[in-house]
Amino acid sequence: MSAPAATRPESATDAPTSRRGPRRRRNVRPARVLAAVALLVLALVWIYPFLWLVSASLKHSSEIFGSGFDLVPDEFVWENYAKAWIEAGFASYFVNTVLITAGTVLLVVIRSALAGYVLGRFAFAGKKLLIGVFLVTFFLPEGYTIIPVTQLTDQLGLLNTHAGVILGLGAGGQVAATLLYAGYFRGLPKELEESARLDGAGQFRTFFQVMLPLAWPITATVVILTFLFAWNAYLLPLVFTLSEPDLRTLAIGMTVFVGEYGQDWSGMAAAAVISLVPVMLVFVVLQRKFVDSVAGAVKQ
């Protein structure tokens, strides 16, 4: 009979390895706890202004600056929201903002996608010069272009209208959105267009049925960023609705609470919360898509 195989003795390097494992895990746990505590403190510091705003919207104006950092009102004044929504006219301002924002987003997506498709897929004389002009206009403040835009809109007979505000916000440069689309379309294979032509599709059908659906990461990015831009726009809607107060947006409606002899801080806080709720809902609903779309846009 053959002798049983000798058991291999445990090497000197095995024991320390097994002993170092628990130590490493024990050292990692305090680091994670400290990191979690630090992130929690930063999150509280970051969210405190919003919590203070919500608290101020439920207080009397005299209590807002007299209670220090206290976030709990002595008495919950829900009438501030009714005052902002009904008396200050924020119900109509809300509808105006929704209409203007939706129209602006739609116009920017279609116009930027078409312009980006041409810049990304076609070669023509003056293309580099055109891109250079786009980049220069990207750094121009809105105040420098408000006068010619207002004059052009007035000549078209669209001043003091929803369509005029939408045209002013959505028909501007929008350089970032156009270049995002151009970079994405430039990276798509040419075989897609060739296959569409073989199937009898024209340029517009190829764009809307083949190319644009493939650009959903860029479209999601443009939609979210344009929504935030149009929802919070102030200067252009203010100039375009000076003689028509009923067409004002939520951002302009804040001035209702600023009077000649004082300010209604509690009403202003309630109005600010009303204007922020839709933005927060959009972010909560589209949070994952926003992160995915931005990541996809960066990769492209």
Side-chain angles (χ1 to χ4, degrees):
M1 294 179 62
S2 59
T7 304
R8 185 176 67 87
E10 184 178 359
S11 62
T13 58
D14 292 337
T17 301
S18 61
R19 287 196 298 269
R20 283 199 301 266
R23 290 180 182 176
R24 287 180 179 177
R25 286 193 293 270
R26 285 195 296 268
N27 293 334
V28 168
R29 288 175 182 173
R32 290 182 177 177
V33 172
L34 290 176
V37 171
L39 291 175
L40 180 61
V41 172
L42 290 176
L44 292 176
V45 172
W46 184 269
I47 201 175
Y48 178 80
F50 176 73
L51 297 178
W52 186 92
L53 179 66
V54 175
S55 174
S57 68
L58 296 172
K59 295 179 179 179
H60 293 285
S61 296
S62 59
E63 184 187 354
I64 292 179
F65 299 104
S67 57
F69 293 98
D70 188 9
L71 296 178
V72 181
D74 295 337
E75 179 185 359
F76 289 88
V77 186
W78 298 102
E79 291 79 6
N80 291 332
Y81 286 92
K83 179 171 56 177
W85 186 257
I86 300 174
E87 295 181 14
F90 265 65
S92 60
Y93 297 159
F94 185 88
V95 175
N96 294 335
T97 307
V98 171
L99 293 176
I100 291 173
T101 301
T104 302
V105 169
L106 181 62
L107 179 59
V108 169
V109 168
I110 294 177
R111 192 188 59 78
S112 300
L114 286 170
Y117 179 66
V118 173
L119 290 176
R121 304 297 290 184
F122 298 94
F124 54 89
K127 178 179 177 179
K128 292 184 179 180
L129 177 61
L130 181 60
I131 295 177
V133 173
F134 271 23
L135 292 176
V136 171
T137 58
F138 181 73
F139 298 98
L140 286 178
E142 186 180 10
Y144 284 90
T145 60
I146 189 66
I147 295 178
V149 170
T150 304
Q151 291 179 344
L152 180 60
T153 307
D154 189 20
Q155 292 174 1
L156 293 174
L158 296 176
L159 204 61
N160 296 316
T161 62
H162 286 141
V165 179
I166 293 173
L167 189 63
L169 291 175
Q174 305 298 337
V175 179
T178 302
L179 294 181
L180 281 173
Y181 275 113
Y184 186 87
F185 287 133
R186 189 183 300 116
L188 294 179
K190 296 181 179 180
E191 289 76 12
L192 294 172
E193 293 170 313
E194 295 175 355
S195 300
R197 291 195 193 97
L198 291 176
D199 293 337
Q203 288 290 352
F204 282 97
R205 183 180 174 187
T206 301
F207 172 77
F208 284 105
Q209 294 187 1
V210 178
M211 306 301 287
L212 187 59
L214 293 175
W216 68 265
I218 306 301
T219 301
T221 304
V222 172
V223 166
I224 296 173
L225 295 180
T226 305
F227 173 85
L228 295 176
F229 161 73
W231 189 271
N232 298 316
Y234 180 82
L235 179 60
L236 190 143
L238 173 64
V239 175
F240 277 37
T241 60
L242 280 176
S243 59
E244 290 290 341
D246 293 338
L247 298 179
R248 289 176 177 175
T249 59
L250 290 172
I252 305 172
M254 295 293 176
T255 57
V256 175
F257 298 97
V258 181
E260 184 178 357
Y261 302 102
Q263 291 82 31
D264 184 0
W265 296 109
S266 58
M268 186 182 297
V273 173
I274 292 174
S275 65
L276 286 175
V277 166
V279 178
M280 295 178 59
L281 291 177
V282 169
F283 177 76
V284 170
V285 174
L286 300 178
Q287 179 182 7
R288 182 173 296 275
K289 283 192 175 183
F290 177 75
V291 175
D292 294 342
S293 63
V294 172
V298 171
K299 289 180 181 179
Q300 293 300 327

